[in-house]
Amino acid sequence: ITPASMTIVFLSITIGTIMTMSSSNWLMAWIGLELNMLAILPIISKPKTTRASEATTKYFLTQAIASAMMLLSSTINVWQTGNWNILELKNKFSTTIMALSLMMKMGAAPIHFWLPEVLQGTTLQTALLITTWQKIAPVTLMYMISNNIQPTILVSAGILSMIIGGLGGINQTQLRKMMAYSSINNLGWTITIMAFSPNMALMNICTYIIMTTPIFLMMTNMSAKTLQNLSTTWTTSMTMTLSIALLMLSTSGLPPFTGFMPKMLILNELISQKLTTLATLAI
C-alpha cells in the first residue's frame, strides 16, 4: 500500500468517526460508520496472510450486519415518529435493535465473538486501532440514546460482557486475544453504567483508551505477541516490561492504579442507585 493510499485510508477513518459523532441524523451517523468500516478493511488485510484475510472477512460481515440492524431500527422509528433525529428514538423495539447493533459494532457480549478472532488475525497496530478508535463512534451514539434504552438490556449485556471478558482472558497465551477480552470486560463496565450515568461511562472508556494505547505501542516496540515473548524481554528491556505489567494491572482495575478510579466510581453509582446485588456481581 502506497503512502498516498494510506493517507486516504486514515483520513477516511478519522472523517467517518467525526461525522458519526457530530451528526444529529441517523442517516449521516450510518454513513459515517460505513465510511469508517470500509476504510479500515485495507488496513486489516495489509499483511498478506490467510489469517489477515479471514479477519478482514469476519470484521466486514459483522459490521455489515450491525449496520443493517441500525438502518432497520432507524427506519422503523421513522415510520412511527416521522423523524430521523438521533435523540427522537422513542420506539421500544427500535431502541432495542439499535442498542444490539451498537454493541455488535463495539464488540460487547453477547455479540463479541468476532473481536478476539479479528485481533488475532491482524498486526498489533491494527489491533490498537480496533480496540480504541473504532469504539469511539458507537459509544458516542449509545451515549446519545442512553436515556431511551431500557436499563435491563444495558445492565444484562454489561454484566455478561464483564463475565465473558474476565473468564475468557484467563486461559489465553496470545497477548492480542488477552487484550480483546480485556476490551470486552471494559465495555461491560461502560455499558452497565451507561443506563444510570452516561457521563461516567464516557470517562471509563476514555480512561481505558488512554491505558490501552501505551500497552499496544510497547508490545509493538518489543514485537511481543505471546506471554512467553513478554517473559523473555525482561533481560533486554526491563523498564518496558515493568511498564507493561503495571499498565495491565491498571487496566484490570487494581488499586491504587488509575484504572481503579472509574471502576470505584461506577460501583459507587450502582450502590447509590440501590443496585447492591449488581455491584457485588461486578466485583
Side-chain angles (χ1 to χ4, degrees), residues 160-201:
L160 197 60
S161 294
M162 285 183 208
I163 293 165
I164 287 171
L167 295 178
I170 292 171
N171 204 24
Q172 300 301 329
T173 54
Q174 295 288 334
L175 289 174
R176 279 166 295 180
K177 276 198 174 178
M178 275 177 64
M179 294 307 290
Y181 282 109
S182 160
S183 169
I184 293 164
N185 178 273
N186 191 271
L187 278 172
W189 287 89
T190 307
I191 292 167
T192 304
I193 199 61
M194 189 73 83
F196 310 104
S197 175
N199 290 338
M200 208 174 281

Side-chain angles (χ1 to χ4, degrees), residues 8 15 36 38 45 51 59 72 103-104 116 122-123 135 146-147 196 220 222-224 231 253-254 265-266 270 278:
I8 293 167
I15 290 168
N36 188 299
L38 290 170
S45 62
R51 294 211 69 166
Y59 186 83
L72 170 72
M103 284 174 202
M104 199 171 188
T122 62
T123 60
K135 288 193 177 8
S146 57
N147 290 337
F196 310 104
T220 308
M222 295 190 294
S223 301
S231 59
L254 192 81
L265 291 170
I266 288 169
L270 289 175
L278 199 59

Side-chain angles (χ1 to χ4, degrees), residues 14-279:
T14 312
I15 290 168
T17 302
I18 293 168
M19 192 189 286
T20 303
M21 287 171 71
S22 57
S23 64
S24 59
N25 182 298
W26 278 120
L27 274 179
M28 286 304 290
W30 174 77
I31 290 167
L33 285 169
E34 285 298 290
L35 179 65
N36 188 299
M37 183 256 287
L38 290 170
I40 202 173
L41 295 177
I43 300 176
I44 300 172
S45 62
K46 195 183 174 188
K48 295 289 174 273
T49 59
T50 319
R51 294 211 69 166
S53 306
E54 187 187 330
T56 312
T57 311
K58 280 179 181 171
Y59 186 83
F60 172 71
L61 290 174
T62 316
Q63 297 294 321
I65 292 165
S67 293
M69 285 168 68
M70 194 175 161
L71 269 184
L72 170 72
S73 165
S74 49
T75 309
I76 291 169
N77 187 61
V78 169
W79 278 340
Q80 297 282 324
T81 62
N83 197 335
W84 281 103
N85 196 313
I86 289 176
L87 301 173
E88 294 296 317
L89 195 71
K90 302 292 184 194
N91 185 291
K92 270 190 179 178
F93 179 70
S94 294
T95 316
T96 308
I97 298 287
M98 185 61 75
L100 286 171
S101 76
L102 292 174
M103 284 174 202
M104 199 171 188
K105 284 224 169 261
M106 291 181 227
I111 326 165
H112 66 285
F113 53 86
W114 61 272
L115 189 62
E117 297 300 318
V118 169
L119 289 204
Q120 189 55 36
T122 62
T123 60
L124 285 163
Q125 295 98 317
T126 312
L128 165 64
L129 197 63
I130 293 169
T131 49
T132 54
W133 184 261
Q134 292 300 94
K135 288 193 177 8
I136 295 171
V139 167
T140 308
L141 285 175
M142 190 171 270
Y143 174 84
M144 289 162 92
I145 63 166
S146 57
N147 290 337
N148 299 326
I149 306 173
Q150 289 167 290
T152 321
I153 295 164
L154 288 175
V155 169
S156 305
I159 292 291
L160 197 60
S161 294
M162 285 183 208
I163 293 165
I164 287 171
L167 295 178
I170 292 171
N171 204 24
Q172 300 301 329
T173 54
Q174 295 288 334
L175 289 174
R176 279 166 295 180
K177 276 198 174 178
M178 275 177 64
M179 294 307 290
Y181 282 109
S182 160
S183 169
I184 293 164
N185 178 273
N186 191 271
L187 278 172
W189 287 89
T190 307
I191 292 167
T192 304
I193 199 61
M194 189 73 83
F196 310 104
S197 175
N199 290 338
M200 208 174 281
L202 279 193
M203 184 198 67
N204 184 54
I205 200 81
C206 288
T207 312
Y208 169 75
I209 289 170
I210 291 163
M211 289 186 300
T212 305
T213 307
I215 292 177
F216 271 112
L217 292 175
M218 282 190 276
M219 286 196 301
T220 308
N221 194 296
M222 295 190 294
S223 301
K225 290 180 180 175
T226 62
L227 279 174
Q228 197 175 0
N229 294 153
L230 268 189
S231 59
T232 53
T233 53
W234 180 258
T235 48
T236 53
S237 181
M238 196 172 93
T239 316
M240 215 174 264
T241 314
L242 191 64
S243 301
I244 283 192
L246 292 175
L247 275 164
M248 281 184 166
L249 288 174
S250 180
T251 315
S252 62
L254 192 81
F257 299 109
T258 315
F260 173 65
M261 181 194 65
K263 288 182 171 63
M264 184 186 71
L265 291 170
I266 288 169
L267 288 173
N268 183 48
E269 181 65 28
L270 289 175
I271 291 163
S272 67
Q273 295 275 356
K274 296 192 169 50
L275 294 162
T276 319
T277 319
L278 199 59

